Amino acid sequence: MAWLEAVYRVRASPHEIEAIALAIALEQSVEVPLAAVKDVGVRENIVARVQGIRALEEREFEVRLALAEQTMGGDPAQTLNMLFGNSSMHTHVELIDAELPGDLIEHCAGPRFGIRGLREKLKVESRPMTCAALKPQGLPTAALARLCEQFARGGVDVIKDDHGLADQTYSPFAERARACQTAVAAAQRATGRASFYVPNLIGAPKTLYEQARIARDEGVEIVMVAPALVGLPVFQELVAEHLKGIAVLAHPAWAGAARIAPAFLMGKLFRLYGADAVIYPHYMGRFAYSRTQCRDIADASRRPWGGVREALPVPAGGMVVERVGELVRFYGREVMLLIGGSLLVADDVEARTREFVRAVEDADAALEVDG
Amino acid sequence: MAWLEAVYRVRASPHEIEAIALAIALEQSVEVPLAAVKDVGVRENIVARVQGIRALEEREFEVRLALAEQTMGGDPAQTLNMLFGNSSMHTHVELIDAELPGDLIEHCAGPRFGIRGLREKLKVESRPMTCAALKPQGLPTAALARLCEQFARGGVDVIKDDHGLADQTYSPFAERARACQTAVAAAQRATGRASFYVPNLIGAPKTLYEQARIARDEGVEIVMVAPALVGLPVFQELVAEHLKGIAVLAHPAWAGAARIAPAFLMGKLFRLYGADAVIYPHYMGRFAYSRTQCRDIADASRRPWGGVREALPVPAGGMVVERVGELVRFYGREVMLLIGGSLLVADDVEARTREFVRAVEDADAALEVDG
């Protein structure tokens, strides 16, 4: 019988922690009192086991459980269920990390492009990559397309929809995808340099799959999806079956709603379920993520992991051009820097974009010197 | 322009709260600094507005925002995105409640059966309904079917899969659905009384839709789904397009991972997206939900809401037969009581189930006398 390890952070008093750890083990496997488990095979092969308890702080413990792989059956939804289904409702329990079952890894396979594939697509050999965001929503399609062209002329690698852009009347998905693809093509004819437009796919499965079809028909090569919002199992199916040849940028919307360590959710689960690049809030911006959390997310997304390709970390959320040097020193080269509002407040968006691109080149050159 | 109100609970100091409320309004609409919103139409019709700020506790405030309905475009995923997409990553912000856009209500329509439709299906005129759970997982299909028959002979109305039952090798979905349907039919021939077997649908969309087909082919009339786990937008599509004529019991797995008021998520969103009945952890059991939270969930699921049918509250999570009277006094008749482990620990499951059913009848009769 194969077992995998899941790690939880649990708030409890020292005299309660053992009983609570046992309760979590039951909750995440058989969901009945042990007395109701009359079958010996189930007791031995299915009931989760407490592997270790370690004090972290005064009333905070790390609990390591062994969960039976066969309860998960290689299914992306059922795996989440067994890792944290009912315990998600226990406010004293957080899911910190877990090994993932081999048949799930086989089923999901992770990024189809990964960092190397993205570099080939974007034709960026070694420097940090750059990304800008089309917003605010509410602008008509033509205005978004104009903005897209300005970013492209400014030399940014990737231009993504704001995650708030869906299929609203003011900029419907199909119309927007076509106009923005046309805009990046026009800029490329002028500059000789390719930028990639990344539409945001959002909706229930039928809508998502239809948007994937439209994107492909328009020649789109990268799309954005928020896995926590559409549902991780749907995300996995979308990537595997409807985005062949198209790279995937994961957006963290709704993800923070989870009481799950961001490095595990965004760095590991998003990656395993198929994200080639993962956007997350960097600590210098307007979100409260810590320096350590950001480091952990980047590490989890880039760490060697058997046959699973690396995903590119994309720190974002209030980044400004003036701090690009700092960002590159923190993350190194295997990163995509996403700057939104700090480009849009400028009167001349194209010139400001050029500053951003140059700042990244300078920061890259400085690494060369330091290294 | 139509606006809807969303309510957040925000931890902040009194001198910061105004700035923070404004920041949430920007985050949940245009996601740029106001200075970057150069278009007058966007400023007037898209940027969310702070409607009110009210102190709740010393460093805790209720913030009411007006969000533009047109940003949501009637889509079930995009609505979640605009209510809490990025703010989900702000640990000082909780989503407490929201009006929902008219075109979303039209699109989702809510329960297709509701409490009245469930009563007709189950042929239970006015007493509280009863539910037992098939577990522990790990038992072979034949053992689960035997258990199913015992519960049915004991007279329980609904017998649901444990939410941990998926498509594992020890009790594959199709085999289990057939065996359990056969078991309830056999019990009905013996007792003349119908019980309903409720399989758990879980997986990515293709798997879910295939399980829905199998369930229908086996004559299943009620299924269980965990909306937060499979993704709310998928849940909505599953109900609307793949479960015609089949009632839906929502399970809360993964839902507690959200920093969203349970009454809003489970009582209102699960209901709107199509749950006929909503399982949630009752405060007497092994979860930390408060009496007030449970009352709020039940109220939200049963409250009159235009054309949206009522959903049946199903308190669960460590309920015992001995406290049925208390439960019925707390919730009244429009409820389904779900008891799991407390039936399974008994040596004679059928006799224990009969006790449960009688306890509910007695509690119902006692209401008669009191009322």
Side-chain angles (χ1 to χ4, degrees), chain B residues 38-59:
Chain B
K38 298 164 187 172
D39 184 284
V40 180
V42 175
R43 277 192 182 236
E44 287 182 357
N45 303 320
I46 301 292
V47 174
R49 302 165 181 180
V50 178
Q51 296 289 88
I53 298 175
R54 191 167 67 89
L56 298 173
E57 318 237 347
E58 205 188 313
R59 289 175 55 88

Side-chain angles (χ1 to χ4, degrees), chain A residues 161 165-168 171-178 197 199-202 210-212 214-215:
Chain A
D161 276 350
L165 289 174
D167 190 31
Q168 297 100 336
S171 57
F173 183 86
E175 179 188 287
R176 187 173 80 242
R178 169 156 299 181
Y197 164 65
N200 177 41
L201 314 190
I202 187 167
E210 172 64 7
Q211 290 174 347
I214 294 170

Side-chain angles (χ1 to χ4, degrees), chain A residues 38 47 66 80 117 125 133 143 159 169 211 245 296 306 308 332 348 351 366 369:
Chain A
K38 298 164 188 171
V47 174
L80 306 177
E125 205 175 308
I159 301 154
T169 49
Q211 290 174 347
D296 288 349
V308 180
D348 185 339
V369 173

Side-chain angles (χ1 to χ4, degrees), chain B residues 250-271:
Chain B
H251 190 280
W254 202 254
R259 214 172 48 260
I260 302 176
F264 179 62
L265 183 59
M266 301 181 195
K268 214 159 160 182
L269 286 180
F270 283 14
R271 176 183 176 189

Side-chain angles (χ1 to χ4, degrees), chain A residues 27 31 38 162 256-257 286 346, chain B residues 27 31 38 88 162 257 286 346:
Chain A
E27 197 70 59
E31 213 207 326
K38 298 164 188 171
D162 180 23
R286 56 183 199 272
Chain B
E27 198 70 60
E31 213 205 327
K38 298 164 187 172
S88 78
D162 181 23
R286 56 184 199 271

